[in-house]
Structure formats: C-alpha cells, structure tokens
Amino acid sequence: LAQMIGTGVKNQFLAKSPTGTVPESPFNFSAHVDALLQPLQTSHHADQQGYKENLTETSSQSVVVAVDRIFTGSTQLDGNAIVDFVKALCQVSIEELSIQPHPRMFCLTKLVEISYYNMGRIRMQWSRIWQVLGDHFNLVGISQIQDISFFAVDSLRQLAQKFIEKGELPMFHFQKDFLRPFEHIMKNNKCGTVRDMVVRCVANMVHMQGHNIKSGWTNIFSVFHLAAADQDENIVELAFQTTGKIVTQDFETQFRAMVDSFQDAIKCLSEFACNAAFPDTSMEAIRLIRKCAQFIAGHTQLFTDHQMEETGNIPDVDRIWIKGWFPILFELSCIVSRCKLDVRTRGLTVLFDIVKTYGDQFEAHWWKDLFQVLFRIFDNMKLKDNGDDNDFPDRLAIKSEWLNTTCNHALYALTDVFSQYFAVVSPLLLNDLFAQLQWCIQQDNEQLARSGISCLENLVLSNGSKFNAESWDSLCQCL
C-alpha cells in the first residue's frame, strides 16, 4: 500500500468512501486505507466487480512504474552509492536464483538494465560497478541450470556490444576487464550449448565491432584458445574461422591495437594445431603461423613504435623479438613436441623455414634464445628416458619413431641454419652445437648416430676455413 500511495495513485482507481467524510487527496494515507478496507456491497455485484478491476489496475500499473523508477533512478546515485546498490541487487539476485525448483531471474534482468542506464558514467566509476557485476556474471554464467547460464551469456553479449561501441582511450584497458567473464565462463562451464553460445557471441563481436576493439583482443584470443582444445567440431570450426579472419584481414587494418595481444594470437593458433581430433585444422593453423611471421617481417616498425604494456627495461630493439618472433618460434617448437608425426613434421619444416628466411633480421644476442628453443626438440627425447617401467615398450616405440623422424630432420636443419649464419652464431653457440651433435652420436639408434656424424662432418667441411684456434680445440675435444 505504501508503494502504491507513494506513487500518487489517482483517486479514480480507488473506491469512494460511502460516508463521504474522507477527503479525496491522493497523498492522504488514512483516507486511502479507509477506502480500500470498506466492506464490499454484496447487493451490488457490478460495484464489487469494478472495485476488483480498479485495484488490479492500480497494482499492475502504478506499482510496476514505481519499481521501475527505482532502477531508472540509479543514474542519479553518486559513485559510492551506485556500487552499494549494485552489490545489494547482486545479493538479492543470488537469493532468487537459488529458489528451487523454479529460480527467478527478475533481479538478474534488472542488473542488465541498470548496466545500460549507467554505462554513460565516467570510466573510473563504471570500472568499480563492473568489478561487482563481472563477478556476478562469472558466478551466474557457470550455473548448472542451462537457462540461467545461457541468459547470462546473452546479457553479456548485449552489454559488450553496447560497451565496445564507445571505443577505448589509449592507455586504458576497460575492455579487457569487461570481456573477462566470457573467458571465465568458457573455461569453467562444461555445457556444450553454453560454450557454443560464448564462441558465437565473441565471433559476432569481432565481425561487428572489430574496429572498436582495443585491449579486448587479449580476452578474445583467450576464448578462442579455450575453444581450440574442444572436441565439438562446430565450436572449433567457428573459433578457427574467426581467428583466421583476424590474421588474414584484421591484422592489416587493426594490428596497432593487437600488438600487446599478438603472442596470445600465436598461442591460440598453436592450440588449434595441437588438437589431434581435427588434423586439417592443425595444418591450416601452422600455415597461419607462417603468415604471422611474414606479417612481422614486413611491419617491424609497428613493434618498435608501439608503447607496450609492462615493458619494464626492455630496449626498443628487443620489443619485436619478445612480442613477435620469439612467441612464433617457441609455439612452433611446442607443436613439434606435442603433436603426431604429420603435424609435427609440418611444424618443424615451417619453424626452420622461418629461421632461414628471416634470420638476417635477427640481432646477434637473439640467437642464443633461439637455439635454446631449437635444442628443446632434442630435450623432449631426453625426458622420455625416464618413466614408469610398466609403459616401457610404448615409450621405446615412441622414442624410436622420434629419433628416426623428427630428431633426424631437426639435426640436419639445425646444422644448415648454423652454417648459414655461422659468422653470427659461432662465437656464441659452437660449443653448444658440438655438445648436441655428441649426444646424437652416442645414441643407440644407429640412424641418428650416423646422422650426427654426417652433420658434424658437413659442419667442419663447410665452415672449417672460418674456425679459429679455440674452435679447433673444441672440435678435437668433442671427437
């Protein structure tokens, strides 16, 4: 009654007092109470019916308007008050959603509405509001009740489209905070329908708002990274198609906004390559990684000029190595370590092709990091020497295949790269290469041992004229 009277209910909606002594003021609480509590005249059925209809109309119009005014009026609250209001509404929403067997989503719907109403606030205030709302959507989005989690994702989609339309100022990262619930839901909700919905929402965001996305690219690649390991073909296909669109089209126009997220994009492609359920996608992902290398080679200035996040004391010359080349080479080595023979062979070929093609752009001190990545290929086999005796026959078969194929291929390619850039890498890494060749020659696998000897011989014949006295001493010790 207080809510009804407080909204100024018109007198025409209230039954008249038969005594006529009560003044007809819409704010006279006692008058309204007397009128509402008058006994119905049972002899006049029409009056009784009209009374009920009037009371129903009052409750369906005025009360609803009053309640809505609470939420539309939230824009008038100051920065601290709106945060408290959102916290309280989230708490009520949690209580509603826990009602069994029919949870209510009234407050969840109202949270979406007040997000719309208050999105125009200054970014610092909105950040505090979203810190509360984001945690709530994280919780609701992983609900075991599909309707609830589906509604949460759809609400996030609508809010994200609206928020990203506003763009993002340089050196601010509100998009990253805003899109983080998509990542959380994708990681923690195992329902295929909801996961598919998340991927579709993010893919639609890329297609519709790609030109406005800035710091949010990191979250987008994280969502697709999680989708890449899925076993659902539809989820993997849609995520990969969108990632391919970003690499082949958006890089050309939006890359300045993606520099800080570039290594996330490479991790995403690597995960697609390592999904054994979809070999065609794996091969295509490796092709896209090669395309990323081509893009870096032609756009080095973008990395040099860009003010990156958390650069610390990194010299400008090393930015492109840390944010560009190294992620590509490292992720290709991971593909070689994790994937089956055909995929890892392709990854190994692309890895060394990139080094041979673009190695002349590398600074001298980068090569030490690069060869540590290349030597990891052989470390994979060294680790397999240790394990449970129960699976010894399987490990022996896997090791034999590795030694005969991947290690053999890598050894010749490694020697070729060393010879091609001998003047740069020899002072830094000749002894390390001798040690690697020595390990190969000492293996029980005859083919790998013969290959090690052949590579050592080729190395000396091709570069012996460039050896100094120290190099010859190291060679003799190795022999």
Side-chain angles (χ1 to χ4, degrees):
L1 288 176
Q3 285 182 330
M4 289 161 57
I5 305 309
T7 58
V9 180
K10 295 180 180 178
N11 288 348
Q12 66 193 50
F13 292 144
L14 298 174
K16 302 292 189 300
S17 171
T19 62
T21 59
V22 181
E24 295 184 1
S25 168
F27 300 103
N28 187 329
F29 182 79
S30 60
H32 287 168
V33 170
D34 289 343
L36 290 171
L37 296 182
Q38 284 297 324
L40 295 175
Q41 300 298 321
T42 56
S43 61
H44 303 287
H45 181 72
D47 290 345
Q48 178 182 357
Q49 198 64 29
Y51 178 86
K52 289 182 177 180
E53 290 175 0
N54 287 340
L55 191 58
T56 301
E57 187 174 359
T58 300
S59 110
S60 64
Q61 292 183 11
S62 302
V63 175
V64 170
V65 169
V67 171
D68 283 344
R69 193 177 298 169
I70 295 173
F71 301 104
T72 57
S74 64
T75 56
Q76 305 302 316
L77 299 173
D78 64 30
N80 293 324
I82 184 62
V83 173
D84 291 337
F85 179 67
V86 170
K87 286 181 179 178
L89 194 57
C90 286
Q91 182 60 46
V92 177
S93 174
I94 291 173
E95 293 173 3
E96 282 189 338
L97 294 172
S98 64
I99 297 173
Q100 295 298 333
H102 302 295
R104 299 182 69 238
M105 290 191 283
F106 175 80
C107 285
L108 184 59
T109 305
K110 292 303 178 184
L111 283 169
V112 177
E113 290 182 14
I114 65 170
S115 298
Y116 271 111
Y117 299 148
N118 290 274
M119 206 173 281
R121 288 178 178 264
I122 61 172
R123 287 293 181 259
M124 296 306 295
Q125 284 188 2
W126 172 251
S127 180
R128 292 180 61 206
I129 295 170
W130 188 252
Q131 188 174 3
V132 178
L133 286 172
D135 289 342
H136 187 66
F137 278 112
N138 285 345
L139 181 65
V140 176
I142 61 174
S143 170
Q144 294 182 356
I145 302 174
Q146 183 176 315
D147 288 345
I148 293 176
S149 55
F150 201 87
F151 180 84
V153 173
D154 188 56
S155 300
L156 281 170
R157 175 189 61 79
Q158 298 175 52
L159 293 173
Q161 295 282 13
K162 183 76 172 176
F163 185 78
I164 291 176
E165 280 180 7
K166 296 177 175 293
E168 186 175 58
L169 297 174
M171 307 307 294
F172 285 86
H173 307 105
F174 293 118
Q175 287 182 359
K176 184 184 292 186
D177 295 332
F178 195 93
L179 298 179
R180 195 166 284 129
F182 286 109
E183 188 178 343
H184 179 85
I185 295 169
M186 191 68 188
K187 184 177 182 179
N188 296 285
N189 196 319
K190 304 306 178 185
C191 174
T193 305
V194 176
R195 292 168 63 82
D196 182 83
M197 177 68 169
V198 171
V199 173
R200 291 186 184 280
C201 290
V202 175
N204 183 63
M205 202 182 306
V206 171
H207 287 284
M208 301 298 294
Q209 297 290 339
H211 57 286
N212 286 324
I213 300 174
K214 300 293 188 292
S215 65
W217 286 113
T218 299
N219 309 87
I220 288 170
F221 288 125
S222 295
V223 169
F224 290 157
H225 179 273
L226 294 165
D230 208 287
Q231 299 302 303
D232 187 311
E233 184 176 3
N234 292 329
I235 292 176
V236 174
E237 183 65 21
L238 178 59
F240 184 70
Q241 285 179 356
T242 309
T243 305
K245 184 255 184 190
I246 294 170
V247 172
T248 57
Q249 299 178 28
D250 294 343
F251 270 13
E252 292 293 338
T253 57
Q254 304 294 324
F255 191 76
R256 287 186 182 276
M258 300 184 199
V259 173
D260 288 319
S261 307
F262 180 75
Q263 53 192 336
D264 298 297
I266 301 300
K267 285 180 182 178
C268 180
L269 290 171
S270 175
E271 195 66 25
F272 280 114
C274 292
N275 191 331
F278 307 101
D280 291 342
T281 301
S282 299
M283 293 297 188
E284 185 65 13
I286 294 172
R287 186 190 70 81
L288 290 176
I289 293 177
R290 184 201 286 270
K291 190 169 184 66
C292 290
Q294 294 172 349
F295 185 85
I296 290 180
H299 299 79
T300 56
Q301 200 64 30
L302 289 176
F303 287 87
T304 305
D305 295 344
H306 183 73
Q307 294 297 317
M308 298 184 181
E309 302 175 17
E310 303 174 0
T311 52
N313 297 320
I314 299 173
D316 290 350
V317 71
D318 290 336
R319 287 181 179 178
I320 191 171
W321 173 251
I322 292 171
K323 290 286 189 176
W325 288 116
F326 186 80
I328 286 178
L329 300 170
F330 180 81
E331 291 301 330
L332 283 169
S333 74
C334 291
I335 292 172
V336 173
S337 299
R338 292 174 57 189
C339 296
K340 293 182 179 179
L341 178 60
D342 53 346
V343 176
R344 73 169 180 259
T345 300
R346 182 63 179 161
L348 189 66
T349 301
V350 170
L351 170 59
F352 281 103
D353 281 352
I354 290 173
V355 175
K356 291 176 182 178
T357 305
Y358 305 111
D360 56 351
Q361 298 185 17
F362 296 174
E363 298 291 327
H365 58 282
W366 297 353
W367 285 96
K368 197 153 191 175
D369 292 336
L370 170 57
F371 268 80
Q372 291 302 316
V373 171
L374 299 179
F375 288 151
R376 288 179 72 246
I377 298 169
F378 303 95
D379 290 343
N380 188 279
M381 279 299 92
K382 295 174 185 176
L383 292 173
K384 284 183 169 56
D385 287 336
N386 301 316
D388 188 354
D389 290 338
N390 293 331
D391 62 355
F392 179 76
D394 293 335
R395 286 189 290 111
L396 190 63
I398 293 172
K399 180 175 181 178
S400 178
E401 182 190 54
W402 259 84
L403 294 175
N404 288 329
T405 56
T406 306
C407 285
N408 204 48
H409 181 179
L411 194 60
Y412 279 102
L414 187 66
T415 308
D416 289 344
V417 168
F418 203 96
S419 296
Q420 183 176 344
Y421 298 101
F422 185 85
V424 178
V425 299
S426 176
L428 300 170
L429 293 158
L430 185 59
N431 290 338
D432 293 330
L433 181 61
F434 283 154
Q436 192 63 60
L437 291 171
Q438 183 178 350
W439 178 83
C440 293
I441 294 169
Q442 292 174 338
Q443 293 305 299
D444 294 335
N445 185 285
E446 184 175 351
Q447 181 179 345
L448 184 62
R450 289 181 181 276
S451 297
I453 294 172
S454 176
C455 289
L456 182 60
E457 180 182 5
N458 292 338
L459 179 68
V460 175
L461 291 175
S462 300
N463 306 287
S465 60
K466 307 169 191 173
F467 278 19
N468 56 27
E470 185 179 351
S471 300
W472 285 110
D473 286 342
S474 297
L475 174 62
C476 291
Q477 290 177 8
C478 175
L479 293 172

